[in-house]
Every structure is written in structure tokens, then in C-alpha cells.
Amino acid sequence: MNSITLGPLSKADGEIQIPGSKSLSNRILLLATLAKGTTRITNLLDSDDIRHMLDSLTQLGVNYRLEDQGTTCVLEGLGGPIQADFGDLFLGNAGTAMRPLTAALCLGQGEFRLHGEPRMHERPIGDLVDALKVLGVDIQYEGEVNYPPLRIKANGLNGGEVSIKGNISSQFLTAILMSAPLAQQDLTIKVDGELVSKPYIDITLHAMKQFGVEVENQNYQAFIVKGQQTYQSPGDIMVEGDASSASYFLAAAAIAGGKIKVHGVGTDSVQGDVKFAEVLEKMGAKITYGPTWVQAERQTLKGVDLDMNHIPDAAMTIATTALFAEGTTRIRNIYNWRVKETDRLSAMATELKKLGAEVVEGEDFISVTPVKTLQHAAIDTYNDHRIAMCFSLVAFSNTPVTINDPGCTSKTFPTYFELFNQVTQS
Ligand SMILES: O=C(O)C1=C[C@@H](OP(=O)(O)O)[C@@H](O)[C@H](O)C1
Ligand SMILES: C=C(OP(=O)(O)O)C(=O)O
């Protein structure tokens, strides 16, 4: 298997322009498709998750052209539902393509099959399917109940009232929200139980607003959306930098000597993962912000004990940053790590232990206590981009680290190791 060995490194210094947000790129592509008018999207992320969305749009007859090495997309909106009669869509392991497209395809009239990589077929989607069935959709599982592949015979989406469980993934609610304005009547969506990853709903509502649709948000417990609306293209729209991708560079500076300024995310950002910088600050790092940048600088770090349900992706970066902090770090309320690219709770515990760290894996938490000297280990990445990226930080210890299958960062950040090498020194 392909692998890279990094470090030992002693310094992280420089400025980084972070690539576009995955969450915003896929939301904007879908909304631009449903909207009236042509949208010019700049700073689009060029990665596997976005390519799966774009390839699906091509198959569904949507016209767009890519410019600037895939970071600009000029897309002709349909001014309503997707018109295709048929589609057999491969969505890799992109939750932000699979879940929103499942709901959006129900708005039209065609027959569709949605499938993905083997892991996508292990990631639950039953809560979304149940809600779509209540809204009158003919949607079936091809194999195991609750998991893709799915088959849809679309005939529009009814309005009315629907409940959706919020405790597995916020992407199910995001999916229904984005399609709701094109439903046949007004729709009230009630959230059943706890809503995980709540800030991602703010990203959804923000993107919908940019396309001219307002949602009544009743304290994240119910959402009211008027039916029979038309999204309006804003014309030009820029995708802000990816706050989860920024986390690795901010952590690198907080751990190593030096200073890193990340451009593309800042106090103006709509992404919840910007709050990762606040966690670093709580650990002791020096953080400064501007509207579109964040800078981190090293100070002595100490462990924290925090609920990180709102920043599940960036929380993985905290798990490896914890190796450089005094005392124990406990990351709580992250149950849904288990249903992402891999079972992240189990995988993170296994790989952190390989380095010699003391790790406790709970049902919904992980705690990490560092040791003075880490052992050299070959880190397995489980086809999980974030495992590859967050373990690169181990290179700031006195021992090198080997990352197996580093190419898996292509899901959201194909140029990660290139940029990491640019701002780090031995
Ligand atoms: O809506 C989104 O863009 C996302 C929501 C989160 O997933 P969950 O809601 O499943 O936690 C996050 O982990 C994922 O990377 C992107
Ligand atoms: C959970 C993630 O991805 P997805 O959008 O496929 O859910 C992630 O990027 O960490």
C-alpha cells in the first residue's frame, strides 16, 4: 500500500489559502440547479465529494461548465425540479451528495437509483427515507433496509407535516429543508429528539437564503417552509474556505513553534467548524481573527473536556492535538463518529493507541492522555480523509509518523499534503 512518512518536524509557519468548503460547494451546486437563472460559483472545492455531485448533475441533464481548474462553475439553473426521466447515480462516500440528492430527486417525475462506495452502503439513511415516504414518495431499499442503494419513483413531494429524527445525521434535515420550497404545499418539519451537528443546519439555511428562500426556524425544533416557491439564482456566489480543512493548519501552528494564518475562513464564516479555533484557544493557543482569516500561534497546551457535538469533523483534529497537551483531553457527545467514513471512534482509538497514548473509547466519547515519547507507527486511515489529515500532526513529536494511503484526502482536500509540506519544517 502507498504510504508517506512525515517528520520529525519542529516548525509550522506561513500563510495558507484554504480551498472551498465541501458543505457549501455541494449545497450551492444543488440549489443553483433548482434555481431560476445562471449561477457563477467561484472558489468551488475541487475534490471527490464535489465531483460525485457534478457527475450526477451531468447525468441528470444539468448544463454547466467548469473553469479555473474546476474551482469556478457556471451552471444554468432549471428554475424548478430536475427534469430527467432516469438516473443511475454513483455518489462515492459523499454524504452531502447522497442525502440532499435523494430528497431533491423526489421533486421530479423520473426513476432514479442512488448508490455509492461499499462504506456508503453501511451509512444509515432510514430516517430520511421514512420522512420522504410520509411526504408521499415511492422510495425503496435495493438491499438492506435503512441503507443505500435506493430506488426512487418520483412524483413530487407533498407538503403538510413531517417528523424527522435528528440524532444520527443533520444531513437528513438539510436534505428535506432544501427540497421543501419546491413541495406541492407548505411543509412543517418537526425534529424528533436531539439534533446532532446543529451548525450544519445554519449552513443550509444560509445557503437557501442566498437563493432567495426564507425558512421559519422555531428554535431548531420545527421548521416551516412555504411550498411552490422558486429559488432565484444570486448570479455570482463565492464559496468560503473549508473550516474543517483549516483545522489541521491551525492545530499545526498551535503545536509547533511558529505562526500560521489561514485565509478563507474567519469571523464572517457561516460554518460551525470555525469554532475549532475557540477550542484551540481553550487549550491555550494564541488565536487572532479577521473577517476572512484566522491565525494560530503556539503556547503551552493543556487538555480540555468538552462536548463537541457541534463540530464533529474538526473534533478529530482535537483528538491528535491532545497528544501535545498537558493532561487528558475528553471529547464528548460524538456518537455519530461511528456512522461516518468509518467507525471513527473505534478507528481513532486504535490508531492513537499505536502511538503509545492512553486512550479510552466510550460509546459516545474518546479521551486521550499523552505520553512523553510517542512511538513511530504506521497509521491506517480506513479510507477516511480526516484520519490521514489529523494524524499528520504527529510529525511534530520527536518521532516520525507514517500515514498509509494518504491519497484518501482526495474526498475533501486533494492538495492537503502538498500544502502541509509548504508550511512545515524539520
Ligand atoms: O451537512 C453537512 O455538510 C455535514 C454535516 C455533518 O454530518 P452529520 O450531520 O452527519 O454529523 C458533517 O460531519 C459532514 O462532514 C458535513
Ligand atoms: C462526515 C464527513 O463527510 P460526509 O459529508 O460524507 O458525511 C466528513 O467529511 O468528515
Side-chain angles (χ1 to χ4, degrees):
M1 182 197 283
N2 185 14
S3 67
I4 48 165
T5 297
L6 303 167
L9 301 170
S10 65
K11 209 168 167 197
D13 213 14
E15 302 206 10
I16 291 265
Q17 184 68 47
I18 215 76
S21 150
K22 167 199 78 171
S23 294
L24 279 160
S25 293
N26 271 349
R27 280 168 175 75
I28 290 171
L29 283 171
L30 183 58
L31 294 177
T33 295
L34 302 176
K36 191 161 179 236
T38 298
T39 308
R40 183 182 179 83
I41 309 163
T42 52
N43 201 36
L44 188 74
L45 177 62
D46 178 22
S47 80
D48 291 352
D49 278 12
I50 310 311
R51 189 171 39 81
H52 291 308
M53 176 64 94
L54 284 168
D55 289 351
S56 300
L57 295 179
T58 301
Q59 208 194 119
L60 295 166
V62 178
N63 289 320
Y64 63 84
R65 65 171 193 276
L66 294 173
E67 298 170 358
D68 304 326
Q69 286 90 43
T71 61
T72 297
C73 178
V74 182
L75 189 148
E76 282 173 38
L78 302 169
I82 289 164
Q83 298 297 328
D85 295 330
F86 172 80
D88 187 356
L89 309 179
F90 176 78
L91 300 162
N93 197 6
T96 56
M98 173 62 92
R99 280 78 182 257
L101 271 172
T102 295
L105 288 169
C106 299
L107 296 165
Q109 300 292 326
E111 293 196 14
F112 306 101
R113 175 171 181 262
L114 296 94
H115 61 117
E117 289 173 12
R119 176 61 184 172
M120 180 54 98
H121 299 171
E122 295 172 355
R123 296 181 67 186
I125 196 163
D127 295 338
L128 175 58
V129 168
D130 289 348
L132 290 169
K133 282 185 173 165
V134 169
L135 297 174
V137 177
D138 179 351
I139 177 167
Q140 309 291 337
Y141 301 105
E142 191 176 282
E144 203 183 334
V145 171
N146 283 334
Y147 300 91
L150 299 175
R151 285 182 185 274
I152 297 171
K153 280 189 191 157
N155 190 23
L157 205 59
N158 295 335
E161 190 176 300
V162 71
S163 288
I164 188 145
K165 286 200 190 118
N167 65 335
I168 297 287
S169 170
S170 69
Q171 291 175 0
F172 306 148
L173 174 57
T174 280
I176 302 259
L177 278 167
M178 289 204 288
S179 289
L182 277 66
Q184 279 143 16
Q185 301 91 22
D186 299 354
L187 182 62
T188 299
I189 309 159
K190 290 197 164 156
V191 180
D192 193 358
E194 188 197 8
L195 174 59
V196 292
S197 304
K198 198 160 113 186
Y200 288 93
I201 298 305
D202 294 327
I203 301 181
T204 303
L205 299 178
H206 175 85
M208 289 171 70
K209 199 170 171 185
Q210 287 179 302
F211 283 83
V213 166
E214 299 265 2
V215 172
E216 187 183 327
N217 175 359
Q218 297 185 337
N219 199 25
Y220 299 90
Q221 288 176 335
F223 297 85
I224 301 171
V225 191
K226 282 213 175 325
Q228 296 200 11
Q229 298 192 68
T230 307
Y231 282 114
Q232 301 293 336
S233 166
D236 289 354
I237 190 164
M238 195 187 89
V239 177
E240 63 185 50
D242 192 298
S244 321
S245 299
S247 71
Y248 312 105
F249 296 98
L250 297 174
I255 294 166
K259 214 192 266 183
I260 290 194
K261 188 169 184 178
V262 176
H263 294 273
V265 288
T267 50
D268 278 358
S269 296
V270 62
Q271 298 163 77
D273 269 8
V274 168
K275 291 228 158 43
F276 169 82
E278 287 177 20
V279 179
L280 273 188
E281 222 169 357
K282 283 200 177 106
M283 293 179 87
K286 185 172 173 208
I287 305 287
T288 38
Y289 300 92
T292 59
W293 57 267
V294 187
Q295 180 174 282
E297 238 176 288
R298 186 192 139 79
Q299 308 279 325
T300 305
L301 299 180
K302 58 179 191 309
V304 287
D305 180 344
L306 291 172
D307 180 334
M308 296 200 201
N309 190 284
H310 286 187
I311 57 163
D313 295 356
M316 292 173 74
T317 316
I318 295 296
T320 50
T321 305
L323 297 168
F324 301 89
E326 273 169 26
T328 299
T329 291
R330 206 165 129 102
I331 303 171
R332 286 186 279 109
N333 202 9
I334 46 160
Y335 170 78
N336 88 347
W337 270 22
R338 295 197 184 276
V339 291
K340 300 205 182 233
E341 279 74 339
T342 183
D343 177 342
R344 287 176 165 171
L345 263 159
S346 156
M348 289 297 287
T350 304
E351 301 311 308
L352 285 163
K353 280 181 194 164
K354 280 188 187 169
L355 300 166
E358 273 174 46
V359 181
V360 180
E361 176 197 343
E363 191 49 20
D364 66 349
F365 75 88
I366 190 167
S367 76
V368 184
T369 310
V371 281
K372 255 211 170 84
T373 312
L374 296 177
Q375 286 158 215
H376 175 225
I379 301 298
D380 288 317
T381 47
Y382 308 77
N383 207 16
D384 185 341
H385 54 140
R386 296 203 193 283
I387 296 188
M389 295 189 281
C390 72
F391 275 90
S392 66
L393 299 174
V394 176
F396 295 109
S397 69
N398 295 327
T399 5
V401 62
T402 300
I403 310 276
N404 288 333
D405 188 25
C408 68
T409 67
S410 63
K411 185 176 192 285
T412 57
F413 202 165
T415 56
Y416 176 71
F417 285 105
E418 226 172 277
L419 291 179
F420 184 81
N421 286 335
Q422 275 171 28
V423 291
T424 56
Q425 292 155 34
S426 47

